[in-house]
Structures are given as C-alpha cells and as structure tokens.
Amino acid sequence: MITNTELEKKGNLFPKKMVSYEQDGDSISFVCENNVHLIITIVRDSMLRFRYATHGIFQDDFSYAIDEDQSHGYSVLEVLEDDEAVWIVTNQIKCRVLRSDLRIGIYDLDDNTILEDEIGFHWEESFEFGGNYVKMSKNTVDGENFYGMGDKPTSFNLKGKRFSNWNTDQYAFSKDTSELYKTIPFYIGLHHAKAYGIFFDNSFKTHFDFCHERRNITSFWADGGEMNYYFIYGPKISEVVTKYTNLTGRPELPPMWALGYHQSKWSYYPEDKVRDLAKSFRDNKFPCDALYLDIDYMEGFRCFTWNKKYFPKPKNMIQDLEEDGFKTIAIIDPGIKIDEEYEIYKDGLDKDYFCRRADGPLMRGKVWPGNCVFPDFTNPEVREWWAELYKTIIGETGIKGIWNDMNEPAVMEVPGKTFPLDVRHNYDGNHCSHRKAHNIYGMQMARATYEGVKKYMFPKRPFTITRASYSGGQRFSSTWTGDNLASWEHLWLANMQIQRLGISGFSYAGTDIGGFADQPSGELFARWIQLGVFHPFCRVHSSGDHGEQEPWYFGEEILDITRKFVELRYQLLPYLYTAFYQYCEENIPIIKPLVYYAQEDIQTHYRADEFIFGDSILVCPIQEPNAHGRRMYFPQGRWYNFWNDAIIEGGKELWVDAPLDSMPIFVKEGAMIPKYPVQQYVDEKEIDEISLDIYYKNGLDNAMLYEDSHDGYDYKMGIFNIRSFKFTGKVQEAFIQQHNTDAYNSNLKRIKIIFHGLPFEIKSAKVNNEETDLQNLQYNKEESSIVLPENFADLHIVG
C-alpha cells in the first residue's frame, strides 16, 4: 500500500550554536551544531568576505565578477574570543561572530557600530529546483541611507526601495522598474559620516530591500546559490567605491575618439544615407567621431554579414568615412539565425556551441532574424570561437567598434522575454541551468566580443558597448542604459542612472540622448544634449519609427545650442581623458554624485540632480520644460559660474538662471582645467597649444593632465606624460609650478594660462625664476592670459 504524503515545507532555517572555529591563514572557518559552515576571509584590512554552506559543503569557488588580477592583503589580523563571541580584528575594523547563531556585527576600532545582522543568515530549501533560497537581513540605524545598484531607474537614494536583479529587455521602461538590463548587486550604506559597501556576488536572481518592508531592516536574498558577500569599509564613500572597483576590475583606457560625440539610429541605411549623414555633420560643422550601423546593415539580420543591396562595398564606405574623421560602429546580437546555408550557424552547430534545453534539444527562440539559436558564452571555447568571428568585420572590413544588444538575453514572443530556466550552460566548467547563468550571459558575450575586437584592432585599442552586464562587466565594455523614452522624466532618470552606475564601478556609461522611443521636442533634445556631453559615453540613438533625431532636424536654434555644447565637450577632452585615466588606473569614478563628493554634508544625502564631472566641474541639468533656470545646491567652498566667472559661496541652495542656450555649470576655486581648441573629430588637428583655465584661489591647489598618443598601447609601456600643476594664490601674487614626467613626446609647444577671478592686474612675471617681459608672454589684459612654453617649470606673477 502506498500512502500519499505531502512533502513538509520547513520554512526559514537558521544556523544553530557554534561548536568550533579554526584559522587557516587569511580565513577563519566556523561550524555549527546543524552543520552550517561559515568562512570569513580577510581580503584586506577593510574588506571581509562571508561564505555560508548549509550542509557543510561549499560550491566551487568561482566568480565572473572578481578580477583575478586584483591585489589583496592585510597588515594586522587577530582572532580573539570571549564567552559570547569570536572576534576578528584588523587595523581598520572589528568583526564579531556570535557563538549562539553566527550573527555578525562589524565595528570600527572605537567600537562604533558600522553594520549588524538582524536575523542574519537564514535559508529556505527549494523543493522545486533543489538548493536553497539564501537570505540575509541587517539592522539599519536612524539616518542611514543607501546608494548604488547599477542602472536602477529610480531616485538616487535607495532608502525605502525594493528591487530584483534579473536582466530584462525593458522597452520604454518606467521609473521604479525593478528589473532592467544589468545586474550589479552592490550597494553603499552611509550613517554617522561612515560609509560601507555590500557586494552580494551571486548570479542567480537576487533581491534587495532597503527598509521597504520593515522600516529599520535592510535585506538581500537570492533564488539559489550561496550566501556569498563582501563587506567593504570606507569610511569614505570614495574609498568604498575605489575598493569595490578594484575588486571587480577596471577597464583599459579607451581610445580618445571613443570619448567624442557619436550618432546612431535604428537604422541608417542604405550606404547613400550613411554618406549623407556624414556630410551633414561636416557641412554643419557639428563635431562627431562615430556613426553606428544597426541591424539593417546585415543580410536578413544574420550576424557578421552585409546586405549587398544596401552596402555593396562596405570596406570602401568605411575607409571613406574614416578619411573624413568618422569611425564606423556595427551592432552584433547573440541570436544566430537557423539557416542551413549560413556558415556561422553550421559551424556552431557542428561544434555544439549553442545552448541546449535540459533534455538535449537546442534552445530556439525568435529574435530579429526569426528563429535563432544562441551561443553559450559561458563556455571558454565558444568565447574563443566568437572572438575569431570578428576577423572579417574588424580586421578586414574595417569596422572600428562593436555594439552588443539583445544580450540579456532577450527572446521575443515568450513569457519572461528570455530563455526558459531549464537551458543548460557550461559556466566555465561549473555546469548549471539558466537560473544561474542568466545574469552573466550578456557580460560573457561582451567579454568574447572584447577579446575579438582587441585582437583584430591591434595595435589600436578596442571599443565595445553592451546593453546587458553583471558586476565586473566594466572590464570588457562600455554600456548604455537601454531603450529609454523621449520624455522629461527619462531625462531625469538618465541623470540618476549614470551617477548610480559611476559609483557601482561602471563609469563608462551613457544614455540614448534624446530618448530611443518617441520623438523629443527641440527643447528636450537640447536639454538632453546639455546633460549628455557631461556623461562619459556620449551618443544620440533613437528608433527611426518615431522620426528623425539628428541635431539639424530641430531647426537652426537647436542646432546652434547643441553644437555649442558638443564643442564644449571637445574642448574638455583633455580634462575628460585625464578623468578616464584616473578611473582606469585608480578606480576613481568619472561622474561623482554630491554625496560621494561631500558625504559629511547631510544636505547631499538626498541631492541628486547636481553632480561633479571629473574632480572640479559642478553640473546641474535643467530637467523640466519651459524652464529659464532652477534652484540647485552648492557644496561647501567657492564656485565660479562657468559662463561669467561670478563667485558663489557654497553650503546653500540658490537660484541659477539657465535659458535654453545655457545650463548651470560651475567650477571649483583652485581648479585648473585643460582645454583643446574645437575640432570636428579627435586628432583632426595637430594641437601644439592647449589652454589651462585657472580659477583663482587664495591658497593651494593641485591638478594633473594625462597625455599619450590617444590610441594604441604605448602607454602600457610607460610612454605617457603626467603633467602635475600646483597653484598658490595670494592677495597680490600667484605661483604656478609644473612637473612633467616627460616620457611621451607630444606635439605640444605652448600652454596658454587663462586666469579667472584674479584679484589683481598682472604687472610683472617670472618664468623659471627669470624676469620676463609680459609682451614676450603674449599677455592679454582683457582675458588675463599668458602664453608659456609647454616645458615651463614655474610661473610667478605679481600685481
């Protein structure tokens, strides 16, 4: 006789009493009565890793997020114990592990609480899929705020919000959409002027609750895998961001042309239209460095093919465009059309490189070409194969960059808009279902693309852009925020998302300027350009179904306004390129939210419209129609109005005029901003003179300028310059000192120093400690400028 029984659901399970612990080098292992194991690894003095196993067995220690080249180590490690807890002490923090239930508390060296478990680790067994739902809850203190989480389209401060991470193709997404194109399960907590970070490195669908369900509780959990997270102590937000970015990796320096203005649309075809587009940019003297080809350049949307009707001689077209200063970027999606005559499909099928369902059939889904199969980018062999496919389109045809789209992965006309969960993946030898691989699929496609583009662009640098990614994806690609909407709300969201991505390790990011879906007004387009020129990635992209979105389409007024701001971006390229160097070498984000810049000022904790571009320029976009100005907050210090040099004392909110041809831009006193002359594209001119705008300060300040060949890998061999500038301002005199590493032989011959806010008229000057006639320095009294040889060591001016 067989008795029907129901499988009892046990609900939440918890660690029981600690029975033992053991130290092994930089790791301390704990065991509980019910065989729950915890390993705490000291990654560095301010970073701890926590891994939990519910039955004493840990999964293979593998992560796509962690940069294998990261450095770690610590200077102090003590393990102490008392009747209630075991204590782990470094030279920056103390970690308490309770004997009763493994709950964690983390404190500074003065015993101030940084973060404590509420329930702490717990889990629920999954009888449907196997494994566990792993959960963590933390106490939140009064006044605590939260930031980060990648591209979430919501208010910058996450307190009171709840989100899930499951990469999703969200066409024309709306504010507070939970699941978007990227999964970056990293957040920053801030309270009592101390910041910490949590990185939950779990690629299953994850969830975060920032005091939404319960007022003083923050929690995060996953639908499978391990409870595996990193605690990162600042105490400054800037330190948390730098350490997280170091942990998950940084990109290599992009070519300077990739920082110029880019124009894209779905789609520019045939060839005549692309050539006309290029001619219009040059005729209108509107700077542009890159033009994009969307899916219509392909033959029947088959990847790595050309439609010979639309583009009969693509190599010739690409060469002609390059001669006129344009790089051509092409889109590549993951879906490979099922077509027995299509070589890439046949080759991938023969090599068994496409994803399969649990019982063996190929994973088939509909995307732009129709029925498709999809490479398993989690297989190293498949990534190598995919990289080699770029030999023709990059190495022979001359495409200069690749744009990966639809790689969430997106599938049309199916529930959930993606693969079924039973699809199997290699996961670099850690075989798994799509439940685990979904969120890293796009990142691994971008990785394979990056390797191919890098190989066939050599000796030039690669340029890639991806829509979907996971933490650490910044190592392989730039990104954009996906299919947004031509609306004022989406202009506001663009500002939030790029700031959020910046402090989430993914600085090289931008939006579809003007909106992808629907048609912007000229006013909205102009305001979006004004914001977009201050984003690290600057591209107009739109759906052709909704009208034209080239700058001249909106009439002369809007053309003149947008040209003015794009020209400003090109003038600021040496400043931006230096900021990129600091990002790629020192993990410093290019866009800095005010709370990052001045976390000790509580007014910045909920301010988000304003941000710092680089290290010295304060930007505040106009984000509503018919506005002729706005109120904005100024951090502590003195700020120069970029347009008229009027000085604002910070620490307060003020009204700023901003008619349509302007926007609020301010420069920190003491700043030294390098500028190029306006160019129609990067390296159009052989620049032998740059300007250095110095904003007077009664005191000391420093700045730097990074120089190299703008492309190629000589900089990896130390062939670059870092010019360090030191400014000392006094009531009737000022000093400027320059130190140049002088490892790169640039074309620069002169530096034009332009003083802003100088409280005296220059009467005399010494260059390199020698009296020099002002006429010989091309002194211009009206603009308060002096021209010096590029290798000057010091300048002393007296009023």
Side-chain angles (χ1 to χ4, degrees), residues 167-446:
N167 292 357
T168 305
D169 178 7
Q170 296 281 18
Y171 175 79
F173 57 90
S174 59
K175 181 177 180 287
D176 293 326
T177 297
S178 178
E179 296 164 5
L180 216 51
Y181 301 97
K182 298 167 190 64
T183 290
I184 303 183
F186 164 73
Y187 73 86
I188 299 164
L190 173 65
H191 65 84
H192 298 96
K194 296 181 186 295
Y196 66 89
I198 294 289
F199 172 42
F200 183 22
D201 188 9
N202 183 311
S203 63
F204 283 81
K205 186 173 186 177
T206 53
H207 314 264
F208 288 78
D209 185 305
F210 299 100
C211 307
H212 174 82
E213 183 177 328
R214 291 184 289 164
R215 181 177 178 184
N216 292 316
I217 304 299
T218 295
S219 53
F220 50 93
W221 64 102
D223 291 359
E226 283 185 353
M227 176 52 62
N228 169 37
Y229 73 93
Y230 293 79
F231 169 87
I232 306 167
Y233 182 50
K236 295 180 180 179
I237 291 178
S238 59
E239 294 170 316
V240 174
V241 172
T242 293
K243 292 168 187 175
Y244 165 77
T245 308
N246 184 70
L247 178 69
T248 56
R250 49 198 166 185
E252 63 179 273
L253 193 63
M256 185 181 276
W257 66 260
L259 311 187
Y261 174 90
H262 296 194
Q263 184 76 32
S264 179
K265 184 170 71 174
W266 178 32
S267 280
Y268 288 124
Y269 73 96
E271 177 180 319
D272 287 348
K273 184 173 283 190
V274 178
R275 290 182 180 273
D276 287 346
L277 176 70
K279 184 175 184 300
S280 294
F281 271 105
R282 297 300 178 240
D283 288 349
N284 284 288
K285 297 192 181 303
F286 197 104
C288 181
D289 264 278
L291 303 178
Y292 284 63
L293 301 179
D294 210 317
I295 55 176
D296 295 282
Y297 81 88
M298 303 174 189
E299 178 62 41
F301 306 138
R302 294 167 179 82
C303 292
F304 304 100
T305 67
W306 289 90
N307 184 311
K308 295 302 183 182
K309 177 183 176 182
Y310 295 152
F311 297 93
K313 296 181 178 180
K315 184 174 182 178
N316 291 350
M317 179 195 73
I318 292 166
Q319 287 176 340
D320 291 345
L321 290 174
E322 186 163 14
E323 287 175 5
D324 205 14
F326 295 98
K327 306 296 191 292
T328 306
I329 314 300
I331 195 171
I332 293 289
D333 291 345
I336 299 298
K337 184 176 177 62
I338 298 173
D339 177 358
E340 296 296 338
E341 303 301 316
Y342 179 26
E343 286 299 324
I344 292 174
Y345 168 72
K346 291 195 298 181
D347 189 42
L349 194 64
D350 289 345
K351 294 173 177 172
D352 196 21
Y353 282 168
F354 300 126
C355 295
R356 293 185 176 274
R357 304 290 296 271
D359 293 326
L362 289 168
M363 161 58 210
R364 301 169 187 259
K366 182 179 178 182
V367 282
W368 300 117
N371 288 328
C372 289
V373 290
F374 301 83
D376 181 9
F377 294 109
T378 73
N379 184 334
E381 287 185 20
V382 175
R383 291 197 298 270
E384 291 179 14
W385 171 74
W386 188 260
E388 287 302 313
L389 296 178
Y390 288 101
K391 178 179 181 180
T392 300
I393 195 170
I394 297 286
E396 298 174 10
T397 309
I399 289 290
K400 292 299 185 291
I402 295 295
W403 162 29
N404 286 159
D405 197 11
M406 301 290 288
N407 56 344
E408 290 70 36
V411 179
M412 299 172 178
E413 300 178 7
V414 296
K417 300 187 287 188
T418 192
F419 292 2
L421 298 181
D422 74 324
V423 170
R424 294 305 190 244
H425 294 274
N426 180 281
Y427 214 86
D428 278 70
N430 300 277
H431 299 272
C432 68
S433 75
H434 195 65
R435 294 176 66 234
K436 183 175 183 178
H438 174 87
N439 283 333
I440 55 84
Y441 185 88
M443 174 198 192
Q444 294 308 298
M445 180 188 182

Side-chain angles (χ1 to χ4, degrees), residues 587-629:
N587 309 307
I588 298 172
I590 297 163
I591 296 292
K592 301 171 180 64
L594 286 197
V595 70
Y596 174 105
Y597 180 79
Q599 72 181 56
E600 68 285 348
D601 181 354
I602 198 169
Q603 292 293 325
T604 68
H605 293 189
Y606 278 89
R607 305 296 307 207
D609 290 351
E610 309 89 345
F611 61 87
I612 304 295
F613 173 67
D615 58 10
S616 301
I617 299 177
L618 173 64
V619 177
C620 187
I622 302 296
Q623 299 171 147
E624 56 187 35
N626 305 313
H628 296 278

Side-chain angles (χ1 to χ4, degrees), residues 420-646:
L421 298 181
D422 74 324
V423 170
R424 294 305 190 244
H425 294 274
N426 180 281
Y427 214 86
D428 278 70
N430 300 277
H431 299 272
C432 68
S433 75
H434 195 65
R435 294 176 66 234
K436 183 175 183 178
H438 174 87
N439 283 333
I440 55 84
Y441 185 88
M443 174 198 192
Q444 294 308 298
M445 180 188 182
R447 177 184 182 180
T449 295
Y450 164 78
E451 293 296 343
V453 176
K454 183 175 182 176
K455 179 175 181 178
Y456 290 108
M457 278 298 296
F458 189 84
K460 302 297 186 182
R461 302 175 204 164
F463 171 70
T464 58
I465 177 173
T466 182
R467 190 168 75 176
S469 200
Y470 182 75
S471 288
Q474 69 270 8
R475 302 197 299 272
F476 312 118
S477 182
S478 63
T479 192
W480 88 105
T481 59
D483 294 346
N484 58 4
L485 190 64
S487 71
W488 291 94
E489 180 178 70
H490 269 261
L491 173 59
W492 173 80
L493 285 174
N495 191 10
M496 300 303 104
Q497 288 179 287
I498 301 307
Q499 290 188 57
R500 193 187 314 284
L501 281 162
I503 62 167
S504 302
F506 227 126
S507 262
Y508 196 4
T511 67
D512 285 348
I513 293 174
F516 178 76
D518 286 352
Q519 179 72 10
S521 65
E523 180 190 14
L524 175 58
F525 183 75
R527 292 302 193 190
W528 211 318
I529 284 281
Q530 290 170 358
L531 171 63
V533 298
F534 290 102
H535 283 164
F537 178 59
C538 180
R539 182 186 72 160
V540 170
H541 180 53
S542 63
S543 167
D545 293 340
H546 300 105
E548 306 303 316
Q549 210 154 293
E550 293 74 41
W552 46 88
Y553 173 80
F554 300 95
E556 287 297 323
E557 180 191 18
I558 301 303
L559 175 61
D560 289 344
I561 292 169
T562 53
R563 183 196 294 115
K564 168 184 171 179
F565 277 87
V566 171
E567 287 179 346
L568 174 59
R569 181 180 179 93
Y570 276 75
Q571 288 178 293
L572 290 172
L573 277 176
Y575 176 82
L576 176 58
Y577 198 52
T578 299
F580 261 91
Y581 172 79
Q582 292 173 315
Y583 168 50
C584 296
E585 293 297 318
E586 302 172 31
N587 309 307
I588 298 172
I590 297 163
I591 296 292
K592 301 171 180 64
L594 286 197
V595 70
Y596 174 105
Y597 180 79
Q599 72 181 56
E600 68 285 348
D601 181 354
I602 198 169
Q603 292 293 325
T604 68
H605 293 189
Y606 278 89
R607 305 296 307 207
D609 290 351
E610 309 89 345
F611 61 87
I612 304 295
F613 173 67
D615 58 10
S616 301
I617 299 177
L618 173 64
V619 177
C620 187
I622 302 296
Q623 299 171 147
E624 56 187 35
N626 305 313
H628 296 278
R630 61 162 299 157
R631 295 188 69 82
M632 63 175 286
Y633 185 74
F634 292 85
Q636 294 287 340
R638 302 175 83 224
W639 299 88
Y640 284 78
N641 188 311
F642 178 80
W643 305 109
N644 59 24
D645 283 350

